[in-house]
Amino acid sequence: MARIEFQHVDKRYSGAEGLAVNDLNLDVKDGEFLVLVGPSGCGKTTALRCLAGLEDISSGDILIGDRVVNDLPPKDRDIAMVFQSYALYPHMSLFENMAFSIRMRKAPKAEVESKVREAAQILGLEKLLDRKPGELSGGQRQRVALGRAIVRDPAAFLMDEPLSNLDAKLRVQTRAEIARLHQRLGTTIVYVTHDQVEAMTMGDRICVMRDGLLQQVGTPQELYEHPVNLFVAGFIGSPAMNFLTGRVAHDGAAAALALDGLQITLSGRAAAAARTCGDGQTLTIGMRPEHLDVATAHTSNAVRVPVLVDVVEFLGNDALLHATVGGTEVVALVPVARGVAVGDRVELAIADDLVHTFDPQTDHTLGNTAAA
Amino acid sequence: MTAVAAPLTTPRQGRRQGRLRRLFSRSTVNIILVVIGLLWLLPSFGLLVTSFRPAQDFFSAGWWQAIAHPFTLTLDNYRHILQTGGIGDAILTTALITVPATLLVVLIASLAAYGLVFLRWRGRDWVLVLIVALMVVPLQMALIPVASLYRSVGLFNSIPGVVLFHVAFGLPFAIFLMRNFYTGIPKDLLEAARIDGANEWMMFRRIVLPLGKPALASLAIFEFLWVWNDLLVSLVFLSGSSHVPITVAILGQLRQFGSNIDLISTASFVSMIIPLGVFFAFQRYFVRGVLAGAVK
Ligand SMILES: Nc1ncnc2c1ncn2[C@@H]1O[C@H](COP(=O)(O)OP(=O)(O)O)[C@@H](O)[C@H]1O
Ligand SMILES: [Mg+2]
C-alpha cells in the first residue's frame, strides 16, 4: 500500500506540439480509490502510463510511497496495471497468465500455486484455470485481468477503462465487484474512465481532467455540489446540468437575468452572485434537471423559468421533460404525477440555493452559490 | 394485367437458386483446385515411377506405360545410389548446409525483428528501410565479389562459406517477414509483461516467440526449401570441393553420362521427399488465431 503523488508533471509526446498532461498536481492517499475522469483524449491514459512507467515524463516528479520513481522501470514501481484491452497472454492458460508476474519475481512454486488459487477463488475463476483466454467470455477475461493484478499484491492498482468492453449489465455488476475488491484488499487504486457515472459510483475522490489540465479534485458529492467551473458542472451529473446565459439586469435590490425576450428573476444566492456583476454583464446560471420541478402556488424561494415542453420521456416514477426557453434547451426531471404533456407551457422552478452561477467569460463558478 | 405483378420467383425458389449457385461455385473452385493439384503432382508421380524402373525400360516406353506392368518395377536404383555412396554423401552435404542456414536465419531474423518492432532506438526506421532495400539486391550480383573474398579468407570450397552466403541473402526477407508479423502482436501484451517484471529477453522468450510460431514455421520451411534446392550458390562456391550437395551431384551425373536417367530420377526423388517431410513436420504450427483472447 502506498500513497501516490504527481508534482507538476508535464508530458509531451515527441512530435506532438501540445502537452498531453499539463502541470498535473495530484495527491492520492494511501488506500484511496481515485478516479481520473474526463472526455476522450484529455490525457487520462497518458497520466496513468506515466505513473506506471510506460512513458517518461517531460518534467515534474511522480512519487509512489514517498519515493520518486521518475527513473524507475515499471517492474520496480510495485504497481499492477489492468489494461483497457485486458492484454491477456493468449498462449498461456489462465493459471499461467496469473502466475506470470510472480514467476518473473522467482517466487517459490508453492507460493505461486497458493497465490494464484487464492486470487482465482476471490474472482470465482477456480474452475477455469486450465483454459486459455480465447475460450472465455468477455466478463471472464476481465476477471482474469483483475486476477493477474491481485496476485501481485502491489502497492497500487492502475486501471485504464477496465469496464469499457463489457455490456451495460455486466458493467454494473463488475463495478460493484471492483468496489468490493477495493474494500477487501484496501489497496490504493487509480482508476481511469471517461464515464462520469462510473466515476461517481466508484471513486472515493474524483479528479476531472480536460485537455491535459486538471480541473477539480474532490469527493463525488463535492464535485456535484460545488463544481469549480462550467466544464465540471456540465460533465458531472446525468442528465447534464442546464445552462442559461443572459445579461444581468439590476432593479433596485432585485436582480434578473435577461434572455432574449424574457426576464428571469433571481433570488437568494443567485441574486447575490448577480450583484457582484455590473449591470448588463453576462452571467450563466446552471440548474440540474433533478432540481427542477413544475412550479406550484406554494413554491417559494425559487427561481422560475417559463418553458415550452417539446418531448416527454416517461421513466416510470419520473418523466424527463425536454423543453425550450428562448431557444435554449432545458431538461427537467419531474414526477409523472405533474401530468405535463407535449406542447404545454409550464413554469419550472428550482430552489434558489441550488442554482449555480458562472462567469461565461472565464467559465469559472461565481461565488459559493450552491450549497445543498 | 393484374394489379399485383407476380414475383418472378417465390422466396423458396430464390433460396434454392442461391444455394445451387453457391454449390456450383464451390464445386467449380474445387474442380479447378484439383486439376491444378494434379497437374502439379503429375511430374512428381512420373519421377516416382521412373525411379523404380530398370534403366533399359526408360528408352522403350514412357513411365505411364510402366504402371500397367507393376512387376517390372524394382528397387535396384535405390540400392544402387545407396551403394555408390556419392548420392548419400551429397544428401548429407545438403543437410549440413541447409539445416544450419535455416536455423541461423530463423534465429537471427526473429531476434532482429524484435529489435525493430519492440525496442525504441535512434535510426530504427532507417535500418528497416535499408533491410527492405537489401531485399532487391540480386544474389547473382554478389557471387563474383564474394567468391574472391572467400578465396582470400579461406572460406572458398567450404560448407560454412555456403551457409554464410545463404544466411546473408536470406536474412533481409526473413527479417521483413518477421517484423510484419510482430507488428500484429498487441503492444499491450508486452507492456503488461514489462509491468509484470519481465526483462527484454523474457518478453522475447515467453511472449513474442510463442506467438510468432506460425510465422517462424513458414519462414523455416521457406528457407529450408530455398537452400535445399539451391544449385547456383553451391556450384559457384563448392565446385572444387570433394563434398557437393545433391543438386550439384545430380547435375554432375547428367554431364558425366548424359542419360543415366535411372539414377537421376531416383536421386531427384530422394532430394524432393526430404523437404516434403520437413514441411509436414512444421505444418502443425500453422495454427490460425494464435492471438485469440489477447485483447478485448
Ligand atoms: N503515443 C502517443 N504519441 C503522440 N500523442 C499521443 C500518444 N498517445 C496519446 N497521445 C495524445 O495525447 C492526448 C491524450 O491522450 P490519452 O492520454 O490517450 O487520452 P485519454 O486516455 O484521456 O482518452 C491525445 O491528444 C492523444 O492524441
Ligand atoms: Mg484512454
Side-chain angles (χ1 to χ4, degrees):
Chain A
M1 276 189 255
R3 60 188 275 275
I4 290 168
E5 205 173 336
F6 287 81
Q7 292 176 347
H8 300 287
V9 171
D10 283 347
K11 170 64 187 176
R12 185 192 306 275
Y13 284 107
S14 59
E17 51 203 80
L19 289 169
V21 171
N22 191 343
D23 193 25
L24 179 61
N25 286 292
L26 182 62
D27 198 348
V28 187
K29 301 188 190 85
D30 187 8
E32 188 174 36
F33 194 132
L34 183 108
V35 179
L36 277 176
V37 70
S40 182
C42 72
K44 312 176 294 283
T45 297
T46 304
L48 200 69
R49 289 173 59 85
C50 290
L51 176 56
L54 295 171
E55 303 284 351
D56 294 328
I57 56 178
S58 308
S59 65
D61 286 316
I62 294 180
L63 284 77
I64 299 177
D66 299 320
R67 183 169 60 139
V68 176
V69 296
N70 296 6
D71 299 320
L72 280 187
K75 69 181 169 74
D76 298 329
R77 297 192 182 195
D78 197 18
I79 42 105
M81 185 150 166
V82 177
F83 287 79
Q84 183 169 8
S85 65
Y86 310 154
L88 303 181
Y89 310 128
H91 54 298
M92 298 182 195
S93 68
L94 294 205
F95 187 95
E96 289 303 320
N97 261 283
M98 295 206 264
F100 190 80
S101 62
I102 43 177
R103 287 228 163 117
M104 287 295 127
R105 286 171 167 69
K106 305 207 168 25
K109 222 172 179 165
E111 189 191 330
V112 171
E113 184 80 21
S114 74
K115 283 206 160 163
V116 172
R117 300 251 170 237
E118 189 191 334
Q121 190 248 323
I122 292 175
L123 294 164
L125 292 167
E126 303 106 308
K127 295 207 170 62
L128 303 174
L129 284 175
D130 293 330
R131 297 224 196 145
K132 298 241 172 103
E135 299 159 345
L136 300 180
S137 71
Q140 289 167 334
R141 283 178 204 169
Q142 212 284 331
R143 283 156 183 275
V144 180
L146 287 176
R148 212 165 55 170
I150 293 177
V151 168
R152 283 276 309 278
D153 194 14
F157 292 116
L158 314 185
M159 305 191 184
D160 189 1
E161 312 223 9
L163 306 185
S164 62
N165 290 324
L166 301 180
D167 62 47
K169 196 174 158 205
L170 209 50
R171 202 176 308 164
V172 174
Q173 279 176 15
T174 316
R175 214 160 71 189
E177 202 166 325
I178 293 179
R180 224 171 285 137
L181 204 62
H182 177 241
Q183 282 163 18
R184 174 170 179 163
L185 302 174
T187 311
T188 314
I189 297 183
V190 180
Y191 184 106
V192 162
T193 179
H194 66 271
D195 180 354
Q196 62 91 19
V197 177
E198 240 169 68
M200 294 291 276
T201 52
M202 300 177 81
D204 292 333
R205 281 193 310 153
I206 300 173
C207 163
V208 184
M209 288 181 70
R210 178 198 198 183
D211 294 338
L213 284 164
L214 186 152
Q215 305 287 302
Q216 187 173 4
V217 188
T219 63
Q221 195 175 357
E222 280 165 9
L223 296 195
Y224 182 80
E225 291 171 0
H226 307 287
V228 295
N229 60 25
L230 269 172
F231 176 78
V232 175
F235 192 80
I236 297 292
S238 165
M241 188 186 281
N242 300 294
F243 298 112
L244 291 176
T245 302
R247 291 188 181 282
V248 173
H250 293 295
D251 181 13
L257 192 68
L259 305 165
D260 21 79
L262 156 97
Q263 287 234 336
I264 294 172
T265 309
L266 302 176
S267 57
R269 286 161 182 257
R275 238 167 267 129
T276 65
C277 305
D279 205 42
Q281 205 176 322
T282 54
L283 175 73
T284 298
I285 61 171
M287 301 167 291
R288 295 204 179 273
E290 56 273 31
H291 294 156
L292 284 167
D293 197 354
V294 177
T296 64
H298 320 294
T299 310
S300 59
N301 294 334
V303 171
R304 291 158 181 263
V305 184
V307 298
L308 171 65
V309 178
D310 277 330
V311 176
V312 178
E313 288 177 17
F314 177 72
L315 300 177
N317 196 32
D318 293 321
L320 201 59
L321 308 183
H322 293 259
T324 53
V325 49
T328 310
E329 182 171 336
V330 171
V331 173
L333 192 69
V334 305
V336 166
R338 300 284 184 266
V340 181
V342 173
D344 286 358
R345 285 181 185 281
V346 296
E347 203 169 38
L348 294 175
I350 178 170
D352 51 22
D353 57 354
L354 292 175
V355 176
H356 299 258
T357 47
F358 307 93
D359 178 348
Q361 255 77 49
T362 63
D363 285 357
H364 288 318
T365 295
L366 279 172
N368 189 14
T369 50
Chain B
M1 281 302 242
T2 50
V4 181
L8 288 175
T9 53
T10 65
R12 175 176 290 189
Q13 273 174 333
R15 212 177 308 141
R16 194 157 58 205
Q17 273 182 356
R19 209 181 309 150
L20 272 176
R21 200 174 307 133
R22 266 204 307 280
L23 194 68
F24 176 73
S25 65
R26 206 185 312 147
S27 54
T28 315
V29 169
N30 283 345
I31 288 169
I32 293 174
L33 286 179
V34 167
V35 168
I36 293 176
L38 283 178
L39 279 177
W40 227 263
L41 267 179
L42 205 63
S44 307
F45 185 66
L47 193 65
L48 175 65
V49 173
T50 308
S51 71
F52 287 110
R53 295 176 73 199
Q56 63 274 19
D57 283 11
F58 183 79
F59 301 102
S60 52
W63 61 265
W64 52 93
Q65 284 159 304
I67 307 171
H69 312 282
F71 296 113
T72 62
L73 296 183
T74 158
L75 281 172
D76 281 352
N77 298 336
Y78 285 91
R79 208 168 294 138
H80 188 81
I81 64 162
L82 285 181
Q83 276 163 5
T84 52
I87 299 295
D89 183 76
I91 296 262
L92 181 67
T93 307
T94 298
L96 284 178
I97 294 170
T98 308
V99 173
T102 306
L103 289 180
L104 277 174
V105 165
V106 168
L107 183 75
I108 297 173
S110 60
L111 279 166
Y114 182 91
L116 282 171
V117 176
F118 298 114
L119 301 182
R120 294 184 207 173
W121 40 281
R122 197 183 278 265
R124 185 176 79 167
D125 293 344
W126 286 109
V127 170
L128 181 66
V129 168
L130 183 73
I131 287 169
V132 173
L134 280 176
M135 270 167 40
V136 303
V137 174
L139 174 154
Q140 292 82 347
M141 216 177 78
L143 285 174
I144 307 297
V146 173
S148 62
L149 177 74
Y150 275 9
R151 248 184 243 285
S152 63
V153 299
L155 279 171
F156 202 72
N157 276 333
S158 79
I159 288 178
V162 180
V163 169
L164 215 57
F165 191 89
H166 279 303
V167 171
F169 275 87
L171 271 179
F173 174 74
I175 294 172
F176 183 68
L177 183 89
M178 291 313 297
R179 188 205 92 99
N180 286 355
F181 188 85
Y182 285 174
T183 48
I185 296 178
K187 265 199 149 66
D188 284 2
L189 286 186
L190 282 108
E191 290 180 343
R194 196 183 291 282
I195 292 180
D196 275 351
N199 55 25
E200 298 295 342
W201 174 247
M202 275 298 165
M203 277 154 43
F204 175 72
R205 270 274 294 117
R206 302 288 304 274
I207 312 285
V208 173
L209 206 55
L211 292 177
K213 258 187 209 162
L216 285 173
S218 319
L219 178 62
I221 287 173
F222 179 87
E223 197 59 33
F224 190 94
L225 288 181
W226 177 261
V227 178
W228 186 276
N229 291 329
D230 162 74
L231 171 65
L232 180 64
V233 176
S234 301
L235 211 53
V236 172
F237 293 123
L238 280 181
S239 49
S241 163
S242 49
H243 300 285
V244 293
I246 184 82
T247 46
V248 177
I250 292 173
L251 187 72
Q253 294 280 320
L254 262 178
R255 275 198 306 228
Q256 275 171 31
F257 312 108
S259 57
N260 49 356
I261 192 73
D262 50 340
L263 292 189
I264 290 173
S265 62
T266 310
S268 302
F269 193 75
V270 170
S271 156
M272 194 180 78
I273 205 75
I274 290 175
L276 215 59
V278 171
F279 180 84
F280 284 115
F282 277 94
Q283 195 199 25
R284 66 195 171 95
Y285 293 112
F286 295 132
V287 218
R288 263 184 291 172
V290 272
L291 286 172
V295 292
K296 291 238 186 97

